[in-house]
Amino acid sequence: MAADKKWLFTLFFAAFTSFLLFLSMISSFLSSSQKPFSTLRRGVNYPPAFAYYITGTKGDVGRIYRLLLAVYHPRNRYLLHIGTGGSDEERRKLVDLVENVGVIRDFRNVDVVGKPDPNTHMGSSGVAAVLRAVSILLKVDKGWDWFVCLSALDYPLITQDDLSHVFSSVRRDLNFIDHTSDLGWKEGQRVLPIVVDPGIYLARRVQIFHATQKRTLPDAFKVFTGSPWVTLSRSFLEFCVLGWDNLPRTLLMFSTNLILAQEVYFHSVICNSPEFRNTTVNGDLRYMVWDDPPKMDPLFLNTSGYEQMIQSGAAFARQFRENEAVLDMIDEKILKRGRHRAVPGAWCTGRKSWFTDPCSQWGDVNVLKPGRHAEKFKESMNSLLLDWKSQSNQCR
């Protein structure tokens, strides 16, 4: 009798496993069989598109992949980068993960940098990496409106439908960049010291080293500083990369020997340019919590700060430890995102269940369906735009 029960249990388990495999095959077939019939529409009469540069280092494959799914939309463009600290095996693994997502495979809007760039945290190689990323994104896609720089330690607080909905009412030449000319203590500790970033000329990762002399403040232009996390317009970045004016190159040379050049370069270029200085909205759209006095990096966020995060009206938050529990809360309560799945938007038309991905099928990718969290972000955006219109905080 015991042997019969054991045999029946084995048979039932095998049948159940086969059923799950069958469902998995059906789901995989659905996600890989549908080709995009919805033409991407770009321009002022359609929702804006974003070019995301997501960067990480050794051990960040899982983080980058999760962040990609959390900010994915077929209308956007994505460039993923694992710096020289990571291995080619990690890059191949990231490529495999990306190619296994049916909608990404069909829309072909995600690329992985094959030849990595060095990214010394304190040096100027980070600026070079960002400028290269912009150049690639300008070459592979002619239609995006804003460039968003994220790291593997970031995570969104709203859906892409929310983001695009709010940005639909924003002038597409505006740049969201936290900036100031009041250098304060940064003048003596960040701007005047001369440093060399070995990441520019050495293959191995080496920290910056300091020169014994210091420079004086320039008088040919004014130095601005601020948050390195920016959301910049396509028109401004074309100015920086294609360069019909020598200002971007002049400031790139000046920034080469700066500590934390990413906190100076774009800020100084835009605020010294007559064409773009009035397009600066003074905010980085990020939620961060700092020590008092602030250290080099913000504090790590966790579940205790969840309510403050969602009430902040920010589009993104940083920084998070890998697989932090609060990320699961954001996925469940805000993004409505299943494990290893993209955030569902108005474009997703598939049935939602525990074994099927609603984004395995799609309709018109040019329509949006903002959720309730878009309202907080809209309030924050309106406040920033009101400040911008008053001209009380532009490049001063």
Side-chain angles (χ1 to χ4, degrees):
M1 191 67 176
D4 290 342
K5 288 183 178 180
K6 184 176 181 181
W7 180 82
L8 287 173
F9 176 78
T10 302
L11 181 64
F12 173 78
F13 182 77
F16 182 70
T17 303
S18 299
F19 177 67
L20 290 179
L21 288 172
F22 172 75
L23 292 179
S24 177
M25 290 173 62
I26 291 295
S27 177
S28 177
F29 172 77
L30 289 173
S31 67
S32 62
S33 62
Q34 179 173 339
K35 299 299 179 184
F37 67 89
S38 176
T39 304
L40 291 176
R41 305 290 184 186
R42 299 279 181 77
V44 294
N45 296 321
Y46 297 95
F50 298 86
Y52 280 93
Y53 175 52
I54 303 176
T55 184
T57 187
K58 180 179 179 181
D60 282 340
V61 172
R63 285 182 168 188
I64 293 174
Y65 179 62
R66 179 173 185 168
L67 179 55
L68 168 67
L69 294 178
V71 297
Y72 183 78
H73 194 286
R75 292 180 51 77
N76 296 337
R77 193 80 198 193
Y78 302 86
L79 184 65
L80 313 182
H81 175 248
I82 298 176
T84 51
S87 64
D88 288 340
E89 182 180 354
E90 287 180 302
R91 293 179 193 93
R92 285 191 292 268
K93 182 179 179 181
L94 184 57
V95 170
D96 290 340
L97 287 171
V98 169
E99 290 183 344
N100 281 330
V101 181
V103 65
I104 296 178
R105 192 166 56 247
D106 285 341
F107 279 93
R108 303 178 65 84
N109 61 339
V110 179
D111 294 289
V112 178
V113 175
K115 185 178 180 181
D117 294 305
N119 194 344
T120 307
H121 179 63
M122 295 285 289
S124 57
S125 52
V127 173
V130 172
L131 289 173
R132 181 197 180 196
V134 171
S135 300
I136 293 171
L137 289 163
L138 286 172
K139 183 176 182 178
V140 299
D141 193 321
K142 303 295 184 183
W144 52 267
D145 299 288
W146 279 286
F147 170 84
V148 182
C149 185
L150 297 177
S151 86
L153 281 70
D154 298 332
Y155 215 66
L157 298 178
I158 54 175
T159 69
Q160 290 304 289
D161 277 11
D162 294 340
L163 186 74
S164 293
H165 169 71
V166 174
F167 266 91
S168 293
S169 59
V170 175
R171 270 178 40 181
R172 300 195 181 185
D173 64 334
L174 294 186
N175 295 274
F176 296 82
I177 178 168
D178 172 79
H179 62 279
T180 180
S181 62
D182 183 10
L183 302 179
W185 62 269
K186 289 186 178 182
E187 178 180 329
Q189 296 187 29
R190 300 269 179 91
V191 178
L192 300 185
I194 299 173
V195 300
V196 177
D197 182 357
I200 295 174
Y201 61 90
L202 291 181
R204 63 186 185 278
R205 183 180 176 87
V206 181
Q207 291 301 313
I208 62 170
F209 60 85
H210 295 254
T212 55
Q213 295 180 322
K214 290 188 175 184
R215 74 183 95 198
T216 59
L217 281 177
D219 56 16
F221 52 83
K222 197 172 185 178
V223 177
F224 287 78
T225 186
S227 169
W229 307 107
V230 294
T231 301
L232 301 175
S233 68
R234 180 187 178 92
S235 57
F236 171 63
L237 289 172
E238 286 175 336
F239 171 73
C240 291
V241 172
L242 302 179
W244 55 88
D245 188 293
N246 204 37
L247 177 66
R249 285 178 287 273
T250 299
L251 279 160
L252 185 60
M253 296 294 289
F254 173 77
S255 301
T256 301
N257 300 115
L258 279 179
I259 300 175
L260 292 172
Q262 283 182 267
E263 296 184 359
V264 172
Y265 177 69
F266 289 115
H267 315 69
S268 297
V269 172
I270 201 166
C271 281
N272 283 278
S273 168
E275 183 173 353
F276 293 100
R277 61 175 298 133
N278 292 326
T279 66
T280 55
V281 181
N282 204 339
D284 60 10
L285 310 180
R286 302 305 201 273
Y287 175 81
M288 292 177 278
V289 177
W290 298 86
D291 264 330
D292 187 16
K295 297 180 180 178
M296 285 291 298
D297 294 301
L299 299 175
F300 282 99
L301 302 171
N302 53 43
T303 54
S304 65
Y306 175 77
E307 287 299 327
Q308 291 90 333
M309 265 188 279
I310 63 173
Q311 293 299 322
S312 69
F316 307 96
R318 64 175 286 115
Q319 56 183 345
F320 298 95
R321 291 186 174 87
E322 188 172 10
N323 297 322
E324 182 68 53
V326 71
L327 297 177
D328 295 330
M329 292 178 65
I330 294 171
D331 279 344
E332 178 184 354
K333 298 183 178 183
I334 300 177
L335 305 181
K336 311 298 182 184
R337 188 183 79 86
R339 186 174 176 82
H340 301 306
R341 295 178 180 179
V343 175
W347 59 278
C348 303
T349 60
R351 182 181 178 184
K352 183 178 181 180
S353 68
W354 63 274
F355 64 86
T356 57
D357 182 355
C359 297
S360 62
Q361 295 180 317
W362 50 88
D364 189 348
V365 299
N366 303 299
V367 298
L368 304 173
K369 186 180 179 181
R372 60 187 181 90
H373 294 285
E375 286 303 313
K376 277 290 179 186
F377 180 51
K378 186 176 182 179
E379 291 175 11
S380 177
M381 177 66 75
N382 287 341
S383 177
L384 287 171
L385 293 178
L386 185 64
D387 187 45
W388 167 72
K389 290 176 182 178
S390 72
Q391 298 188 352
S392 63
N393 214 8
Q394 288 185 46
C395 293
R396 297 180 186 277

